Amino acid sequence: MLKRTLMSLAVSSMALSGVAQANERVILEELGRYETGVFDDGASEIVAYDKDGFRLYVINAGAGTVDILGIADPTDPQLEGQIDVTTDITEAGGINSVAVSKGLVAIAVENDDKQAAGWVAFYDTDGNFLGDSEAGALPDSLTFSPNGKYVVVANEGEPSDDYSVDPEGSITIIDLNGGFESRSVTHATFTAFNDQPLPDGLRAPRPFGATLAQDLEPEFAAVSRDSSTAFVTLQENNGVAVVDLASGTVSALLGLGTQDHSLPDNGLDASNEDGEVNIQNWPVMGLYMPDTINGYRYRGVQYYVTANEGDGREYIFETDEEDCTSRGFEFDEGECLSYIDETRVGDVTLNEAAFSDLSAFGVNSIEELQMDENLGRIKMVSTEGMNESGEYEAIYTFGTRSFTIWSDSGELVYDSGDVMEQVTSELEGCDGSDLDLCGFNSTNDENGSFDDRSDDKGPEPEVVVVGKNNGQAFAFVGLERVGGIMIFNVSDAANPVFVGYEPARDFDPSLDVESQDAGDLGPEGMVFIRKGASPIGKSLLVVGNEVSGTTTIYRVKAQR
């Protein structure tokens, strides 16, 4: 039987100075689990819910379908059907996202030619095709506005692997105010910002002479409670686009800035080769680079919450050495490296003046700082912090290993700092008694991988949803690598309270992760189901786990 270690109980003895703790905890009681039997092929990713039919719609990327799961009895989810978009759109490539509202199922469909325009395919809740609307290049995610009158699509616009084609990122707004048959489509673009100064805190390296519009890559959208405005993450750019839905235009670009890992409560474990849990401050600036964004309104105030995963750009394609070098690219072990923006601290030259006093970090020289067991292994953003001499005066890393609450004007209200690493450092065996059982900064496709991701993005917060239970607002944050769900009471947005952690997996290295014996791996999508929409009249959380290929249904329970 799968062993669960409820961190909502274990953290009672832990000093988390970066976040308040409450007497009341929230636990996730597993009710049911649907297993595809498919390992590490995206068999359960984004999840949407239809409250009228008590059905889940789950992206099964490996199969290229949307699985329809009946959860009238959430303890026994059943596959009721599948939607195969390729039967209705002949040039369809991958499917990336799904959303449901008022009897409409919307699916984001990329073109088989990834750099060409994609689609939003519409179905009824029984899976019958209703029609489609054109989206931009690589529609990565979509959502309905709360009133159901708009579908907002984040079109990532990724370049081809050899960077020969680089489409613009965009946001598609499908207006349903006149009904489905009278829908209209607007594509909000960034071309108006091409010749404007870059906002502070926004990153846009613009490789190979790309325009700003080409460089910006929309990732995920959240819509304000009044259905007037969308906040769209620009993950690789460390920013957010503000979109006016009525006019179909981008009204502002916001840079998110950095988290200073040299400050108290902002530490991180930077090395996968030190053989221990070692969360400490370092002279590192983290770029938030959020993936998922979710909005909530509490006591009349609109907030947005982000899971700060971080993401680099790595474009590699196969060709021969002569062709590769003739294009000006690096040829390495049979692969042509067209563009990579990550490197390691140990492989760069740090400016001596900028890093002259390192005593606060327990090292005495740059050489000691760059040792593998210190900061040398951590991956850094190669395009930021370099001076004209090719020396780095600052170190920037991908993501912040945290979740953040922002105001509707883009101001930081709260950030969780190093809480997620502090909590997961309390997992079984992480005190040094048995590191083989410790899942701290583990990877998501292998057990016995303690500390493996410390040099990357740590626990890697991937997805966040906010739901209200018993009059309180809770943020549920899925950790892509180490796994499990962090839970925070965010009713007071400036002072969230950590209330629980459900690991959702067993880290015992003797368990075969491919057989799903180790539990749920790689949370990718989540949906909160409020009491009034639940088949059992109780708040539920549903998690799609892309590595284990499982969809898990939890009851959200308060516990003192």
Side-chain angles (χ1 to χ4, degrees):
M1 177 179 291
L2 178 63
K3 177 171 58 181
R4 304 290 194 193
T5 305
L6 290 177
M7 292 303 296
S8 55
L9 303 178
V11 295
S12 59
S13 63
M14 193 173 75
L16 291 177
S17 56
V19 67
Q21 296 183 75
N23 291 328
E24 183 175 79
R25 302 294 178 191
V26 172
I27 66 170
L28 300 179
E29 176 189 0
E30 184 178 320
L31 298 181
R33 190 168 182 247
Y34 178 75
E35 300 180 356
T36 62
V38 178
F39 178 78
D40 204 15
D41 196 26
S44 178
E45 295 190 340
I46 305 303
V47 183
Y49 177 65
D50 172 36
K51 64 182 179 62
D52 297 318
F54 300 142
R55 286 169 164 171
L56 299 174
Y57 297 80
V58 184
I59 292 289
N60 187 333
T65 63
V66 175
D67 294 344
I68 304 174
L69 305 182
I71 62 164
D73 177 3
T75 68
D76 186 27
Q78 296 291 319
L79 181 66
E80 294 185 353
Q82 291 182 314
I83 298 173
D84 183 355
V85 176
T86 62
T87 63
D88 304 305
I89 300 178
T90 57
E91 295 178 335
I95 53 175
N96 297 319
S97 187
V98 61
V100 182
S101 179
K102 299 181 179 180
L104 277 181
V105 179
I107 302 171
V109 185
E110 68 183 60
N111 199 303
D112 190 48
D113 174 2
K114 206 170 180 178
Q115 282 67 52
W119 303 269
V120 175
F122 290 97
Y123 295 80
D124 65 23
T125 52
D126 291 324
N128 298 305
F129 182 61
L130 301 176
D132 61 75
S133 296
E134 185 178 88
L138 188 54
D140 194 50
S141 70
L142 54 73
T143 188
F144 281 93
S145 59
N147 64 7
K149 299 297 185 181
Y150 297 99
V151 179
V152 182
V153 191
N155 304 303
E156 195 163 6
E158 283 187 352
S160 57
D161 287 340
D162 64 357
Y163 251 97
S164 61
V165 181
D166 187 1
E168 293 185 354
S170 63
I171 296 103
T172 296
I173 300 107
I174 302 173
D175 188 334
L176 300 169
N177 280 278
F180 177 73
E181 295 300 334
S182 302
R183 66 194 183 279
S184 60
V185 178
T186 302
H187 302 294
T189 69
F190 300 103
T191 53
F193 296 90
N194 277 341
D195 298 321
Q196 296 186 14
L198 199 66
D200 290 342
L202 188 75
R203 170 181 178 256
R206 309 184 202 190
F208 307 114
T211 64
L212 179 63
Q214 288 175 306
D215 194 81
L216 297 178
E217 297 186 358
E219 191 84 22
F220 212 97
V223 181
S224 61
R225 183 66 187 143
D226 64 4
S227 297
S228 66
T229 306
F231 260 44
V232 182
T233 56
L234 308 169
Q235 184 174 25
E236 290 85 350
N237 307 101
N238 193 45
V240 167
V242 183
V243 183
D244 179 79
L245 297 184
S247 65
T249 59
V250 179
S251 59
L253 295 177
L254 305 177
L256 299 183
T258 59
Q259 182 188 98
D260 188 345
H261 288 291
S262 71
L263 298 178
D265 304 320
N266 282 353
L268 77 167
D269 189 317
S271 176
N272 62 337
E273 294 192 2
D274 56 3
E276 61 181 352
V277 175
N278 183 21
I279 302 167
Q280 70 167 79
N281 295 118
W282 289 110
V284 166
M285 306 299 289
L287 298 177
Y288 289 96
M289 292 184 167
D291 186 352
T292 308
I293 186 170
N294 199 264
Y296 76 104
R297 192 173 181 86
Y298 196 79
R299 294 182 179 174
V301 181
Q302 179 72 46
Y303 301 101
Y304 293 94
V305 184
T306 58
N308 305 319
E309 178 194 27
D311 196 17
R313 289 171 171 167
E314 181 174 313
Y315 291 91
I316 300 172
F317 65 103
E318 293 184 3
T319 186
D320 58 59
E321 184 172 5
E322 182 179 356
D323 177 58
C324 181
T325 55
S326 69
R327 302 192 198 195
F329 301 145
E330 179 184 351
F331 189 77
D332 183 39
E333 296 182 357
E335 295 180 320
C336 189
L337 315 182
S338 58
Y339 185 78
I340 299 176
D341 67 357
E342 69 175 38
T343 185
R344 295 187 189 272
V345 170
D347 295 332
V348 304
T349 301
L350 299 179
N351 178 267
E352 290 188 7
F355 294 91
S356 60
D357 185 5
L358 299 171
S359 58
F361 310 107
V363 296
N364 299 310
S365 65
I366 287 177
E367 291 75 19
E368 190 176 355
L369 180 74
Q370 290 183 292
M371 293 173 64
D372 284 351
E373 60 268 32
N374 292 321
L375 206 56
R377 288 286 299 166
I378 199 168
K379 289 183 179 177
M380 61 178 285
V381 186
S382 62
T383 60
E384 308 298 318
M386 182 189 293
N387 63 23
E388 293 180 355
S389 300
E391 298 176 336
Y392 285 87
E393 297 182 349
I395 298 169
Y396 293 89
T397 59
F398 298 96
T400 55
R401 310 185 185 196
S402 66
F403 88 97
T404 306
I405 301 176
W406 310 89
S407 72
D408 61 0
S409 60
E411 298 297 318
L412 189 147
V413 176
Y414 167 81
D415 184 84
S416 65
D418 59 16
V419 168
M420 295 180 183
E421 280 194 300
Q422 295 288 0
V423 171
T424 55
S425 74
E426 294 286 304
L427 288 165
E428 182 180 3
C430 293
D431 58 359
S433 59
D434 192 347
L435 291 179
D436 286 338
L437 294 176
C438 175
F440 176 78
N441 285 355
S442 174
T443 191
N444 57 11
D445 59 2
E446 183 181 3
N447 274 358
S449 54
F450 159 72
D451 210 26
D452 184 66
R453 300 292 299 180
S454 289
D455 60 322
D456 290 285
K457 293 173 280 185
E460 205 160 320
E462 165 80 12
V463 56
V464 60
V465 297
V466 179
K468 292 182 180 178
N469 189 55
N470 296 331
Q472 299 289 298
F474 295 93
F476 302 85
V477 186
L479 307 182
E480 182 176 7
R481 297 295 175 171
V482 67
I485 312 300
M486 293 274 175
I487 312 166
F488 297 83
N489 186 323
V490 294
S491 301
D492 181 353
N495 299 285
V497 179
F498 173 76
V499 293
Y501 172 49
E502 167 55 58
R505 66 182 283 194
D506 191 324
F507 295 96
D508 189 332
S510 68
L511 295 175
D512 179 8
V513 293
E514 295 191 25
S515 70
Q516 300 176 338
D517 289 343
D520 296 329
L521 309 171
E524 177 75 11
M526 294 194 295
V527 61
F528 180 86
I529 302 174
R530 59 182 175 82
K531 292 180 179 179
S534 167
I536 60 172
K538 306 291 184 182
S539 297
L540 304 176
L541 183 75
V542 182
V543 184
N545 303 284
E546 65 173 342
V547 176
S548 57
T550 54
T551 304
T552 304
I553 305 165
Y554 295 99
R555 178 184 169 188
V556 180
K557 296 178 64 176
Q559 185 180 76
R560 288 190 178 273

